[in-house]
Amino acid sequence: MKNIILIITIAFLLVQCKSNSNENLKNFWVLGVIADSAMVVSAREEASIIGLAILQKGGNAFDAMIATELALAVSYPIAGNIGGGGFMVYRTNDGKTGSIDYREKAPITATKNMYLDENGEMIKGKSTFGAMAVGIPGTIAGMFKIHKKFGSLPMNELIQPAIELAKTGIVLSENLATRYNNLKMELPKVNNYKSHFEEKNWKKGDTIKYLKLAETLERIRDYGRNEFYRGETAQLIVNYIQELGGIITLDDLKSYKAKWRKPITFQYKDFKITSMSLPSSGGICLAQMLKSIEPFDLTEINHNSTEYIQLLAEAERRSFADRAHYLGDPDFIDVAVDSLFDSKYIKNRMKSFSWKEATNSSELSHGILKGYESDETTHYSIVDKYGNAVAVTTTLNTGFGSNVYVRGGGFFLNNEMDDFSAKPGEPNYFGLIGSEANSIAPQKRMLSSMTPSIIEHNGNLKMIVGTPGGSTIITSVFQIILNVIEFNMGMQESVNKARFHHQWLPDEIRMEPNGFDSMTRFRLKNKGYSISERNSMIGRVDAILVLPDGKLEGGADYRGDDKAIGF
Ligand code: DON
């Protein structure tokens, strides 16, 4: 009898192993790259190598950041960019924290209803595809502003590696080859010329060069920031956008400015977390989510168990409901930021939480703030040998942005305009809805979910983390932080773990394929949760953990071609 039970058990485990093969594979690879003092973790090996070379040369984390950002613009044009924007959160070795916003802005002639037809309905694809989807790019302005404040090596030395990379070319991974073959079908729908992407059928191992981009970067190296916003590159952008029926003018480019912002800083237990402030919702929502679960004893709850998913999903649901109502560009609307993660307010928001059953999103709205009056991306993490740390998330929005590939310029323009709420209650590409706070207005910045974050413990640097993934960015960062802080996982192990996501509307928990057992899903469904098991991964986290002995452990996401390297 015993033997029969044993055989049945083994058979059951084998079946489980097979159906969860990804999960099991991941769990064997749990130790990340370890380095003594400096590290870069990014979406592409070329970019990580270039960033690290700058650090080896004696450059600081900010120098490496600029070189890595531009190297990603060459090696990972899905999201790396000079035609998009992003955010950087930093912590210098003397413990000072800060952030910069080089997010795109709406054009001067943008209007609230620019994506609606005469019946007030959304015009399909107008905010995501083609010249009308483009926001004013901020990346080059951001790089020069960062360099002015923190750069220690000359800017031309930081730009040069990306130029060389563009000229030598990139050897395609399987992932990139597939993406480029798909892109080939889309480009002619938007552009009026044939670019080098369309020359052939791409396969793994092929080399692709970016000669026009190399020329653009050379001009930026030689003539500086103004080359992009006032010079030949500006002219190339404006001419091309206007040829394609877009509304961006030279005045739009001339008036763009990146901005230093006070980051969101808060305490979770004895950890200090610094994350991105508005116009990203990332820091505020992360604070809300962590504060919502802080009173619960997580030592009693297993990782990724029914109860764990339930608790986090309810925190996520409430935070996204607030996001949709309250958050937008702080230069345009007043947001009572601190009140949104005030303990009393959060406690009140969680009052309706019950272990017995799911809250219904249609019965949950944003919270009431006291005294409140009105209202494909990529992440990389860097630590230098001096102890400075940067967390950077940058994007064109969806993969290759608007698909507008600047003729003569060799780079993609973003489709960040879709991050605005084009119509109240109407979901954007990521299914996010918004309200007046995030409506379109000239020169306004669209609300983001990007959450580059830095965690400290007892005054010391502990972790640098962030990810792409649209709305799932915030919930991925939330879970990674908990994996490390509450479940003592290492960095790579934490990155490998399966992730889930709730964003209030649609009222569902999205789960990664193969990451959760059927009993957990069954129990959640029983409590009234609807589960969406789309066959896609959530995020690409690139993070660094400072180990107790001061060494660094990289967590490079196996979900992409991501790479951690250090010395
Ligand atoms: O700023 C945002 O929140 C979005 N534009 C991010 C887009 C993104 O993460 C796409 N990657 N999967």
Side-chain angles (χ1 to χ4, degrees):
M1 185 63 186
K2 263 190 190 160
N3 281 349
I4 295 174
I5 292 176
L6 189 68
I7 290 167
I8 293 174
T9 312
I10 291 171
F12 176 75
L13 287 175
L14 284 175
V15 171
Q16 281 287 102
C17 273
K18 210 163 174 222
S19 66
N20 287 340
S21 54
N22 278 355
E23 179 68 3
N24 284 313
L25 202 75
K26 278 175 284 176
N27 288 337
F28 285 115
W29 176 48
V30 289
L31 191 61
V33 169
I34 307 280
D36 286 336
S37 61
M39 184 172 271
V40 181
V41 193
S42 85
R44 289 289 303 178
E45 184 168 10
E46 299 87 347
S48 296
I49 289 174
I50 284 177
L52 200 77
I54 295 292
L55 295 180
Q56 266 161 339
K57 219 170 152 176
N60 63 28
F62 301 96
D63 296 321
M65 180 264 173
I66 295 165
T68 306
E69 177 98 6
L70 298 176
L72 283 166
V74 177
S75 57
Y76 196 61
I78 294 166
N81 66 81
I82 59 171
F87 300 107
M88 174 185 77
V89 170
Y90 68 84
R91 180 182 184 275
T92 52
N93 51 10
D94 55 359
K96 288 198 187 81
T97 55
S99 65
I100 189 166
D101 157 7
Y102 53 97
R103 178 76 161 167
E104 300 89 328
K105 293 175 92 162
I108 294 166
T109 51
T111 57
K112 190 169 174 172
N113 296 330
M114 63 190 276
Y115 298 114
L116 306 185
D117 65 16
E118 58 282 8
N119 302 319
E121 299 300 331
M122 287 283 291
I123 302 167
K124 205 166 172 272
K126 196 173 176 188
S127 65
T128 50
F129 209 53
M132 283 301 286
V134 181
I136 315 306
T139 299
I140 292 299
M143 295 310 103
F144 277 87
K145 211 172 176 86
I146 292 165
H147 186 256
K148 193 163 176 211
K149 186 165 172 155
F150 290 113
S152 74
L153 297 179
M155 193 63 166
N156 58 354
E157 284 184 34
L158 307 178
I159 302 177
Q160 193 60 33
I163 297 172
E164 304 298 335
L165 188 64
K167 285 184 181 168
T168 330
I170 303 293
V171 180
L172 297 188
S173 63
E174 187 82 51
N175 268 345
L176 275 187
T178 310
R179 295 299 295 265
Y180 288 0
N181 287 331
N182 293 340
L183 174 71
K184 259 174 31 183
M185 328 270 245
E186 300 304 313
L187 287 178
K189 297 180 190 162
V190 165
N191 296 281
N192 62 11
Y193 74 106
K194 220 173 163 172
S195 77
H196 61 132
F197 283 109
E198 289 151 274
E199 275 164 11
K200 59 181 288 199
N201 224 356
W202 299 101
K203 41 183 204 322
K204 184 181 170 191
D206 284 348
T207 298
I208 182 166
K209 295 184 182 180
Y210 300 92
L211 300 178
K212 284 288 164 202
L213 179 56
E215 286 173 19
T216 299
L217 290 169
E218 279 172 344
R219 286 194 304 276
I220 294 170
R221 176 198 62 196
D222 296 342
Y223 305 113
R225 177 200 186 279
N226 280 350
E227 161 57 27
F228 189 89
Y229 292 97
R230 292 165 184 265
E232 189 181 329
T233 309
Q235 207 60 62
L236 285 172
I237 295 173
V238 168
N239 290 350
Y240 193 50
I241 285 194
Q242 292 183 357
E243 257 176 53
L244 299 182
I247 55 173
I248 289 177
T249 64
L250 219 43
D251 281 343
D252 281 309
L253 289 171
K254 281 183 187 163
S255 55
Y256 184 86
K257 282 192 177 65
K259 276 190 143 180
W260 295 107
R261 303 254 184 210
K262 188 169 168 266
I264 297 291
T265 306
F266 62 96
Q267 206 65 30
Y268 172 76
K269 299 191 176 167
D270 50 354
F271 296 88
K272 181 184 161 200
I273 298 177
T274 304
S275 190
M276 194 60 217
S277 52
L278 291 172
S280 181
S281 61
I284 295 173
C285 293
L286 181 65
Q288 287 194 314
M289 290 172 195
L290 283 166
K291 293 271 177 205
S292 300
I293 64 153
E294 196 173 18
F296 295 84
D297 183 3
L298 292 186
T299 57
E300 299 286 306
I301 302 175
N302 286 335
H303 185 257
N304 278 0
S305 62
T306 307
E307 289 69 28
Y308 186 68
I309 296 170
Q310 195 182 356
L311 178 63
L312 269 62
E314 292 298 347
E316 293 168 4
R317 183 201 305 276
R318 284 160 179 76
S319 177
F320 273 100
D322 278 357
R323 180 195 193 276
H325 182 75
Y326 286 117
L327 303 186
D329 183 348
D331 296 342
F332 282 72
I333 56 159
D334 284 329
V335 185
V337 171
D338 294 341
S339 315
L340 279 166
F341 51 93
D342 167 80
S343 327
K344 255 201 202 139
Y345 173 76
I346 293 288
K347 201 169 160 205
N348 227 5
R349 285 294 274 159
M350 286 298 277
K351 257 193 184 147
S352 55
F353 165 70
S354 151
W355 288 111
K356 285 203 200 97
E357 57 176 7
T359 303
N360 192 334
S361 283
S362 61
E363 287 160 17
L364 176 90
S365 177
H366 56 87
I368 306 297
L369 286 179
K370 237 172 132 188
Y372 189 73
E373 285 178 0
S374 70
D375 168 299
E376 237 167 69
T377 307
T378 189
H379 174 87
Y380 54 98
S381 298
I382 302 179
V383 175
D384 66 21
K385 63 181 178 194
Y386 314 107
N388 303 300
V390 300
V392 188
T393 316
T394 181
T395 190
L396 290 164
N397 193 25
T398 60
F400 307 105
S402 62
N403 279 233
V404 173
Y405 192 55
V406 178
R407 198 180 56 221
F411 56 93
F412 286 102
L413 293 171
N414 67 84
N415 58 347
E416 219 73 62
M417 290 296 285
D418 189 61
D419 275 348
F420 277 117
S421 170
K423 183 182 173 187
E426 194 75 33
N428 74 353
Y429 178 86
F430 295 103
L432 291 166
I433 62 162
S435 61
E436 189 53 37
N438 189 32
S439 62
I440 304 171
Q443 299 204 292
K444 188 174 174 182
R445 284 171 158 97
M446 50 302 273
L447 186 62
S448 171
S449 300
M450 293 190 272
T451 316
S453 303
I454 296 180
I455 291 93
E456 288 169 55
H457 189 222
N458 296 333
N460 298 316
L461 181 65
K462 167 96 180 157
M463 187 178 10
I464 301 105
V465 59
T467 178
S471 51
T472 68
I473 291 174
I474 311 171
T475 53
S476 294
V477 171
F478 178 38
Q479 288 163 55
I480 294 284
I481 291 176
L482 292 174
N483 288 352
V484 171
I485 290 182
E486 297 286 359
F487 297 94
N488 283 321
M489 290 181 205
M491 198 70 264
Q492 189 63 55
E493 184 185 7
S494 163
V495 168
N496 292 354
K497 285 288 169 201
R499 301 192 271 262
F500 57 91
H501 170 77
H502 198 300
Q503 60 176 52
W504 178 47
L505 294 173
D507 191 347
E508 62 182 23
I509 300 177
R510 190 179 141 196
M511 287 179 163
E512 286 194 313
N514 298 329
F516 300 87
D517 62 58
S518 44
M519 186 48 88
T520 305
R521 292 196 298 263
F522 174 77
R523 291 183 59 208
L524 284 166
K525 281 181 193 160
N526 245 357
K527 290 183 179 200
Y529 290 93
S530 73
I531 311 272
S532 136
E533 286 157 283
R534 272 181 280 169
N535 202 22
S536 61
M537 304 308 241
I538 296 181
R540 306 247 187 293
V541 177
D542 284 336
I544 301 174
L545 181 66
V546 182
L547 301 173
D549 62 2
K551 291 191 176 174
L552 307 171
E553 185 194 349
D557 211 320
Y558 78 94
R559 295 163 180 84
D561 300 328
D562 304 42
K563 188 80 183 167
I565 51 171
F567 62 78

